[in-house]
Amino acid sequence: MELALFCTKVNILILVLALCSPCKFIQSPMDFGSSDFLHTRNTAASSDFGRLVFNSPSAVLRPRSPKDISLLLAFLSASSFGEVTVAARGAGHSIHGQAQALDGIVIETDSIPSDIYIHKKGDDEAGFSHADISGGALWIELLEESLKVGLAPRSWTDYLYLSIGGTLSHGGVSGQTFKYGPQISNVLQLDVVTGKGELMTCSPTKNSELFYAVLGGLGQFGIITRARILLQDAPQKVRWVRAFYDDFDTFTRDQELLLSMPDLVDYLEGFIVPNQLSLLGTSIAFPAHLGFVPEFHKVYYCIEFAVHDFQAKGTNAEQVMEKITKQMSHIPSLMYSVEVSFFDFLNRVRMEEMSLRSRGLWEVPHPWLNMFVPKSGIKDFKDLLLENISPEEFEGPILVYPLLRDKWDANTSAVLPDAPAEQVVYIVGVLRSATPASCSARCLDDILHRNRRIVEAASAPRIGAKQYLPRHPSPLHWRDHFGRRWNRFAARKSLFDPLGLLAPGQGIFARTHASTV
């Protein structure tokens, strides 16, 4: 055992010497104990889902255990090799190169075994049902495993083929967020390797500063290697409903009506329908024929909500749905509902992915923009958005739905708009695809400039929005993003990653050098 540890440390030293050398002389995988070190410039680690930024690392680590990550970061933290940075990569679903490390090391966390453990709480047992799972595992894996015992996590993202550690490093939002909070509000415990190489278990009562720093921390403080996720009973079926509107004020008023019914509504989202292509694209996974064929001389809106059907417990989802819809003010006759399995409902975006893949439209640039908008600014933001996107030509979903501020723990590193008196905050996701056949490089550059213009205008006091999954062009912009939370964020960085080794792709902090004193 001691010999293996010694050999691993020697391999790390050789690797770092190679990275710091002007001669890139290692061209094949390096044995790293039970892990692989790939020293190459031609890997998936230089790209991501966004396909907007391409930064090649000098090496990729595929660890077999958190200990491998700890050894690497501890060595780099204690060494004088001041140029090497490290980024953790889960499913590679970042948009702007956030999980890339130019000339550094990318750690692909999916190589660590998922090792899922499900604890189902007994009737007379205190505490909660929960799952322990690797940070590199995917949410779809957790869903499949937990459903075997009739359980599931409470809070989700729309797309399930994302890593546990990846979404917990940002927030994790979907239609359940209004009711249970984001995924970062549904975590009981974490195992984290800090930027200093310390492998620590943390929770709200143990190493709590690290626990809250990492949640929503954009990978700046540590790499999540394992998480304990809160579980609850899973329904057998879901009643899935869509209702259409031609007036934005009525649309948001009904969304906030449903927001006030957490005992009845289990999922709440909504989207803008700017054109026929958008309507068709958002209907791929919805297993019902929509008799809605409007003439798009104006923009439409759709509320999407769902009611869980615990058939074994005698609930009647149909009656619950009718009780809800009787209070809504959608366009008469334009309300559709279907019953689907709980699994198919949660995995609905996978069907859209398969459709796009079959047409060669999945692996294309995705100049996405996500923002949190205070309730008081949502109408102005909608107008700003429609002024900048050419509604008749837009390709992709535009999500708009409300959340509740008090479902977010202010101790985490996540950032919401600075409007504490407003409980309701909207999430807006402009999920555009830039198909090369219809959008040239110049077109893509124009979209990115428009996005920046929207961000700048929306971040001004009149609207007061904040980016979700943020990207900013400079450290000064990052300070503005965090606002009054910046000092706490910077202090946590100094505590857990003082040399700035981690997550260089975010562009928040510069790499610093180890003291020689």
Side-chain angles (χ1 to χ4, degrees):
M1 193 71 178
E2 291 181 0
L3 178 61
L5 182 62
F6 173 77
C7 292
T8 297
K9 291 181 176 179
V10 169
N11 280 336
I12 293 175
L13 177 59
I14 294 172
L15 173 83
V16 176
L17 287 171
L19 293 179
C20 296
S21 168
C23 303
K24 301 300 182 182
F25 53 82
I26 300 177
Q27 300 297 331
S28 59
M30 174 183 285
D31 178 29
F32 183 63
S34 60
S35 305
D36 290 328
F37 241 129
L38 307 179
H39 190 86
T40 176
R41 290 185 170 274
N42 299 301
T43 73
S46 63
S47 182
D48 56 26
F49 182 71
R51 294 183 175 270
L52 302 170
V53 177
F54 302 89
N55 288 320
S56 295
S58 289
V60 176
L61 173 65
R62 292 189 55 78
R64 295 299 178 194
S65 73
K67 185 65 175 176
D68 295 336
I69 301 174
S70 175
L71 284 171
L72 173 65
L73 292 176
F75 181 85
L76 291 174
S77 183
S79 74
S80 59
F81 300 107
E83 302 303 320
V84 180
T85 56
V86 177
R89 185 179 193 272
H93 215 262
S94 298
I95 300 300
H96 294 284
Q98 289 96 330
Q100 297 174 24
L102 178 62
D103 294 331
I105 301 171
V106 169
I107 299 174
E108 295 184 338
T109 58
D110 65 339
S111 62
I112 299 177
S114 299
D115 193 20
I116 304 172
Y117 167 75
I118 306 293
H119 172 73
K120 187 169 186 176
K121 184 181 79 70
D123 292 338
D124 300 324
E125 182 183 351
F128 304 94
S129 296
H130 64 261
D132 291 333
I133 185 169
S134 166
L138 304 181
W139 286 96
I140 185 67
E141 296 179 67
L142 179 52
L143 175 61
E144 291 171 338
E145 195 66 24
S146 62
L147 283 180
K148 293 177 183 178
V149 293
L151 299 173
R154 306 194 310 176
S155 189
W156 293 94
T157 52
D158 289 333
Y159 184 60
L160 303 185
Y161 291 77
L162 306 175
S163 71
I164 304 289
T167 67
L168 295 183
S169 295
H170 291 86
V173 298
S174 185
Q176 302 84 8
T177 304
F178 85 99
K179 185 169 184 170
Y180 297 113
Q183 289 179 323
I184 60 173
S185 294
N186 291 273
V187 184
L188 300 174
Q189 181 176 288
L190 297 170
D191 287 350
V192 176
V193 181
T194 70
K196 296 187 287 187
E198 299 168 321
L199 180 53
M200 301 174 69
T201 297
C202 54
S203 72
T205 58
K206 179 180 181 181
N207 297 316
S208 60
E209 188 69 18
L210 177 62
F211 179 77
Y212 291 120
V214 168
L215 293 172
L218 308 176
Q220 293 298 311
F221 312 108
I223 296 173
I224 297 171
T225 59
R226 197 160 181 80
R228 177 165 292 175
I229 307 297
L230 190 63
L231 302 179
Q232 66 178 4
D233 290 341
Q236 283 71 42
K237 301 283 186 178
V238 170
R239 175 59 62 174
W240 184 4
V241 184
R242 286 185 172 180
F244 288 88
Y245 298 77
D246 59 4
D247 178 74
F248 187 74
D249 289 338
T250 308
F251 165 70
T252 55
R253 187 166 57 247
D254 270 7
Q255 282 195 316
E256 291 171 25
L257 171 68
L258 270 59
L259 186 77
S260 69
M261 302 179 180
D263 293 337
L264 300 178
V265 179
D266 294 295
Y267 164 96
L268 173 61
E269 288 196 8
F271 50 91
I272 299 176
V273 187
N275 55 52
Q276 186 72 27
L277 184 62
S278 176
L279 177 63
L280 295 173
T282 55
S283 301
I284 292 171
F286 191 70
H289 174 69
L290 298 182
F292 181 38
V293 188
E295 296 181 8
F296 278 95
H297 59 276
K298 61 180 178 179
V299 171
Y300 292 86
Y301 310 93
C302 177
I303 286 180
E304 177 176 77
F305 74 93
V307 176
H308 289 172
D309 188 352
F310 292 89
Q311 295 178 332
K313 296 185 179 182
T315 56
N316 191 322
E318 187 76 23
Q319 290 181 358
V320 173
M321 181 201 73
E322 291 176 0
K323 182 177 180 180
I324 295 167
T325 55
K326 283 179 180 178
Q327 303 176 61
M328 297 171 64
S329 302
H330 54 80
I331 299 174
S333 78
L334 293 185
M335 192 274 289
Y336 307 89
S337 77
V338 292
E339 184 181 76
V340 297
S341 73
F342 182 59
F343 178 86
D344 287 345
F345 175 72
L346 290 179
N347 200 33
R348 61 197 177 278
V349 178
R350 183 66 163 180
M351 187 180 297
E352 297 176 16
E353 176 193 350
M354 292 297 100
S355 173
L356 292 169
R357 283 189 183 277
S358 69
R359 293 178 284 147
L361 301 178
W362 182 255
E363 295 180 351
V364 300
H366 296 95
W368 286 8
L369 175 64
N370 294 276
M371 299 204 75
F372 291 123
V373 184
K375 174 183 173 178
S376 60
I378 189 58
K379 189 171 183 178
D380 285 341
F381 184 87
K382 181 267 298 183
D383 293 340
L384 172 68
L385 179 62
L386 294 180
E387 288 169 5
N388 281 275
I389 66 167
S390 301
E392 65 279 0
E393 300 174 359
F394 187 87
E395 294 185 49
I398 305 175
L399 304 179
V400 181
Y401 57 93
L403 315 171
L404 290 172
R405 181 184 297 273
D406 63 7
K407 299 294 183 180
W408 295 68
D409 193 322
N411 291 309
T412 70
S413 294
V415 174
L416 293 178
D418 291 319
E422 293 190 37
Q423 265 298 302
V424 177
V425 176
Y426 279 80
I427 175 74
V428 181
V430 187
L431 310 185
R432 186 195 294 260
S433 297
T435 309
S438 59
C439 186
S440 64
R442 183 175 180 179
C443 162
L444 179 59
D445 191 53
D446 180 63
I447 291 172
L448 294 172
H449 280 296
R450 286 171 182 258
N451 283 355
R452 190 69 231 166
R453 213 158 48 230
I454 292 170
V455 169
E456 290 175 356
S459 300
R462 184 171 67 91
I463 295 177
K466 293 286 187 181
Q467 280 194 71
Y468 174 57
L469 309 177
R471 173 183 180 266
H472 291 289
S474 72
L476 182 60
H477 286 84
W478 277 109
R479 284 176 177 263
D480 290 341
H481 171 78
F482 285 101
R484 58 187 174 82
R485 304 173 186 85
W486 170 256
N487 288 340
R488 184 183 69 178
F489 194 82
R492 286 172 167 176
K493 185 69 170 180
S494 296
L495 184 61
F496 299 116
D497 183 29
L499 298 186
L501 285 169
L502 296 174
Q506 298 282 4
I508 305 175
F509 297 99
R511 175 73 160 91
T512 60
H513 298 269
S515 173
T516 56
V517 179

